[in-house]
Amino acid sequence: YRQRGEEKEMKEKLEAAAELGSAEANFCLGDMHVHGSDGYEVHLPRAFRFLLSAALARHPHALCSVGAMYYQGLGVSRDLKKSFKAYQIAAEEGDIDAMRNLASMHYNGEGCEQSEAAARYMLKVAKEAEEQLAAQR
């Protein structure tokens, strides 16, 4: 719909899919509200609600976004423990950015016990995931 310039119809279908519980639709709506794209204004609390809905369905990118919003306190109170947990689940689901963010949190002891060894391990896991992804292309 976007390519054909049918923004209104795209928004209606996306919102309907989100209401039916589509994790991908909730992720897209959350992302659009974070960035103020595709006819949506920036609205961080609303973005967080959509992203959290997708995260509860274990959508990896939504989980990573929820982790980032908790980490930065965007649209929600800053909570490093919740950020760490969201990144942890996103990493389990294969999100490479979440793996890198976990490494940083381990290194700095944010939301978890400080551990340089855990940080190094997460960076290794992220690198292996990147290499595997590149090999598939």
Side-chain angles (χ1 to χ4, degrees):
Y1 297 100
R2 184 188 303 166
Q3 289 87 357
R4 296 189 309 243
E6 298 171 7
E7 187 177 279
K8 183 180 181 212
E9 192 171 347
M10 175 205 66
K11 289 168 83 171
E12 288 171 359
K13 292 204 181 277
L14 196 57
E15 290 167 7
E19 284 181 31
L20 291 173
S22 166
E24 187 64 25
N26 276 295
F27 170 71
C28 289
L29 284 168
D31 191 61
M32 290 173 187
H33 279 85
V34 166
H35 299 289
S37 65
D38 298 283
Y40 291 96
E41 293 184 18
V42 172
H43 192 292
L44 297 177
R46 187 174 298 139
F48 183 81
R49 286 192 302 275
F50 281 118
L51 291 168
L52 185 60
S53 179
L56 291 172
R58 295 185 73 94
H59 187 289
H61 303 311
L63 282 158
C64 189
S65 295
V66 165
M69 293 182 84
Y70 273 128
Y71 186 86
Q72 297 173 25
L74 298 174
V76 65
S77 296
R78 188 167 195 240
D79 188 323
L80 294 178
K81 289 184 190 250
K82 287 181 180 178
S83 173
F84 184 85
K85 185 66 176 169
Y87 284 144
Q88 205 170 32
I89 299 168
E92 290 170 8
E93 295 296 324
D95 190 281
I96 295 169
D97 289 330
M99 294 173 196
R100 285 194 202 99
N101 292 339
L102 274 177
S104 176
M105 292 183 83
H106 275 295
Y107 186 80
N108 294 308
E110 296 175 311
C112 62
E113 190 172 317
Q114 194 279 335
S115 172
E116 191 172 328
R120 273 196 240 109
Y121 174 76
M122 285 311 306
L123 288 175
K124 179 181 177 237
V125 171
K127 183 178 180 194
E128 290 170 356
E130 282 180 321
E131 290 170 353
Q132 187 177 27
L133 189 62
Q136 293 173 356
R137 290 185 188 162

